[in-house]
Amino acid sequence: GTPCSSWGLLNNLNGGTRSIATPYGDGTVPREVRGNHQLKQMMRLVRALDGKKRFWSIENPRTSRLWHTKEMKKLMLRSDVCVVTFAQCCYGLRPPEYDGTIDVRTRKETTLVTNVPTLAKLARMCTGGHKHVHAMGSVKVKGCGVSRAQAAGTYPPCLCRTWAGLVEAHLSQQAHSR
């Protein structure tokens, strides 16, 4: 995939120019130009993997401007592609200041576009039962400043295990169908 740093909503709080109407930005912000180049490279890799009948997945926040590019819109319309949305709080994503005393989580709604059909089982939306902390700002953890947004970029272990198990199930299905 491509890093979400220039595609997310926080980009615009830092002088970014992307919007739903202009997802590529206006070409004046270096991180957006770099993000556009990463999109082109990612699509080149997707085409190469498709040509070899291999599997891929692309992940970004649900509100990412990446999903509004012509490349991604076209990809998401394909019949062999799944679009999956899940809230990472359901997989135990915690803010960096979590100390175990109160059930507080980072919601971080995430979208995944993939040609691995078993990954559709990642879909989960928050049903509550815990407090949320936004992935914004910084907090002190053991005397050091930690960005909540940067910390939220690390997948929680439960999500990693679930994702790996679903890929394993898909590969097993592929092996048995040959």
Side-chain angles (χ1 to χ4, degrees):
T2 182
C4 63
S5 56
S6 80
W7 296 98
L9 296 181
L10 291 179
N11 175 61
N12 288 51
L13 295 177
N14 296 319
T17 63
R18 296 191 193 281
S19 69
I20 291 173
T22 59
Y24 302 98
D26 67 7
T28 63
V29 180
R31 69 178 173 272
E32 291 177 351
V33 172
R34 205 169 31 258
N36 293 344
H37 178 71
Q38 290 166 338
L39 168 63
K40 287 179 185 171
Q41 293 303 314
M42 179 184 70
M43 294 308 299
R44 187 179 62 78
L45 291 170
V46 166
R47 283 189 300 277
L49 289 166
D50 281 343
K52 297 286 185 182
K53 300 200 183 308
R54 298 293 187 251
F55 306 104
W56 48 263
S57 59
I58 301 164
E59 176 270 339
N60 246 238
R62 181 186 59 79
T63 56
S64 174
R65 301 307 188 218
L66 179 69
W67 309 126
H68 299 278
T69 63
K70 65 181 187 282
E71 295 89 345
M72 292 308 303
K73 284 181 175 183
K74 183 177 177 184
L75 194 61
M76 292 174 358
L77 289 173
R78 286 180 23 185
S79 63
D80 65 325
V81 169
C82 300
V83 179
V84 185
T85 299
F86 53 92
Q88 289 197 40
C89 62
C90 296
Y91 291 97
L93 182 62
R94 306 276 188 190
E97 71 270 25
Y98 175 69
D99 64 7
T101 59
I102 299 172
D103 189 5
V104 62
R105 304 179 192 186
T106 305
R107 185 178 199 131
K108 194 175 180 188
E109 291 184 359
T110 301
T111 296
L112 176 69
V113 175
T114 182
N115 67 346
V116 180
T118 55
L119 290 179
K121 292 180 182 175
L122 287 173
R124 292 188 189 171
M125 294 317 291
C126 182
T127 57
H130 52 264
K131 292 185 175 196
H132 288 122
V133 171
H134 292 286
M136 291 179 67
S138 295
V139 293
K140 290 275 186 191
V141 177
K142 297 180 183 176
C144 296
V146 179
S147 162
R148 283 184 175 151
Q150 193 170 16
T154 302
Y155 292 145
C158 180
L159 175 59
C160 294
R161 286 189 302 272
T162 305
W163 195 317
L166 292 169
V167 169
E168 183 178 31
H170 175 70
L171 294 174
S172 178
Q173 288 171 5
Q174 292 295 304
H176 287 90
S177 67
R178 289 183 184 172

